[in-house]
Amino acid sequence: MASMDAYSGRDTLITESLFNDRSSTISEAAIQQILDGQFKLPQQMRVAIVRIDNTPQKQVHWNDEQFLSTQQAFLDQFSEKLRQSPRVTRLTLIPDIVVAKSSYTNIREAAVRMQADVVVVYSITTDLYSKYKAFANPDMKAFATTQLVLLDVRTGLIPFSTIVTKNAAGVKAKSEMDIQEARNRLQQKAVLETIDEISKQLQEFLKG
């Protein structure tokens, strides 16, 4: 066995990957430049916003009108919060028809066409806790998880990301026609709480 003295005087510090990853889309030289370099967002930003839908079809229980109106309410909430930042000079929405596939390459290219400096990409998942599904109990508990990343269009870097999960519990109101309407209300409440929390985090980040 070679002694540790055999390595004395040799530069054995590894500064880049020694693995041949053929699936990588970033070269080793680019990785080194990104990690060693410095990055700064523009002081004044044109912001685009896009939603990625990761909700499995089996989890969508509402009819089309309810689902679309609720998704629009979430988008409006995000837009309202973003407009409160003095750094945001313009806010535009990226329509689904512009982004054929929800990849960061497609989103970035769509943002370029819309002359946006950064893109806010978010995804929302909601459901009921399983133990509340199994029994016909009037007490219900829903949860929502919202993920958000801020994508810099010029560099493709992501300077900010967060994941927030919130809960909402309650019972069916007298004005609600059925249990499903109550469940939808609780899920929407949980989502709005995640959006409120994420918006606070994002605004704090943009102050820096």
Side-chain angles (χ1 to χ4, degrees):
M1 179 180 297
S3 65
M4 293 300 295
D5 293 338
Y7 296 96
S8 61
R10 292 172 54 186
D11 185 4
T12 58
L13 179 64
I14 299 174
T15 60
E16 63 182 46
S17 174
L18 302 179
F19 301 97
N20 185 17
D21 186 0
R22 296 182 179 180
S23 64
S24 176
T25 59
I26 307 177
S27 68
E28 288 299 323
I31 290 175
Q32 295 299 316
Q33 185 176 358
I34 291 170
L35 294 180
D36 294 339
Q38 297 183 358
F39 167 77
K40 186 177 182 180
L41 284 171
Q43 187 61 33
Q44 300 295 307
M45 296 177 293
R46 297 164 295 182
V47 180
I49 183 169
V50 63
R51 176 181 65 89
I52 296 179
D53 187 4
N54 290 328
T55 303
Q57 188 64 32
K58 65 180 182 179
Q59 291 188 10
V60 179
H61 301 290
W62 311 348
N63 61 41
D64 291 340
E65 182 179 359
Q66 289 174 316
F67 180 76
L68 292 174
S69 63
T70 303
Q71 294 302 312
Q72 184 63 48
F74 299 155
L75 180 59
D76 292 343
Q77 183 80 353
F78 264 124
S79 300
E80 179 184 351
K81 297 293 185 180
L82 284 167
R83 287 190 176 97
Q84 294 176 6
S85 172
R87 296 182 66 178
V88 177
T89 60
R90 190 188 73 189
L91 182 64
T92 56
L93 310 179
I94 299 181
D96 293 340
I97 59 174
V98 178
V99 184
K101 296 181 180 179
S102 297
S103 70
Y104 281 101
T105 299
N106 291 337
I107 291 173
R108 186 184 179 201
E109 290 181 356
V112 170
R113 295 177 187 273
M114 302 179 73
Q115 291 187 306
D117 299 302
V118 297
V119 185
V120 172
V121 186
Y122 74 93
S123 174
I124 298 173
T125 303
T126 66
D127 206 346
L128 300 173
Y129 283 101
S130 58
K131 68 178 181 180
Y132 290 86
K133 290 181 180 178
F135 306 100
N137 193 316
D139 296 328
M140 293 166 288
K141 190 174 183 181
F143 75 90
T145 298
T146 299
Q147 304 179 59
L148 181 142
V149 299
L150 187 66
L151 174 68
D152 178 64
V153 176
R154 288 179 176 82
T155 63
L157 298 179
I158 299 176
F160 175 85
S161 65
T162 186
I163 302 175
V164 173
T165 297
K166 293 290 186 179
N167 304 316
V171 297
K172 177 181 174 297
K174 293 182 179 180
S175 59
E176 293 170 331
M177 297 181 61
D178 52 30
I179 292 294
Q180 189 58 53
E181 187 174 351
R183 290 172 175 172
N184 295 342
R185 171 176 55 82
L186 291 175
Q187 287 177 302
Q188 182 174 359
K189 179 181 178 183
V191 171
L192 293 176
E193 289 183 1
T194 65
I195 293 176
D196 186 62
E197 173 62 28
I198 286 179
S199 298
K200 291 178 182 178
Q201 294 181 18
L202 184 56
Q203 289 177 3
E204 189 65 28
F205 170 78
L206 293 177
K207 289 179 182 178

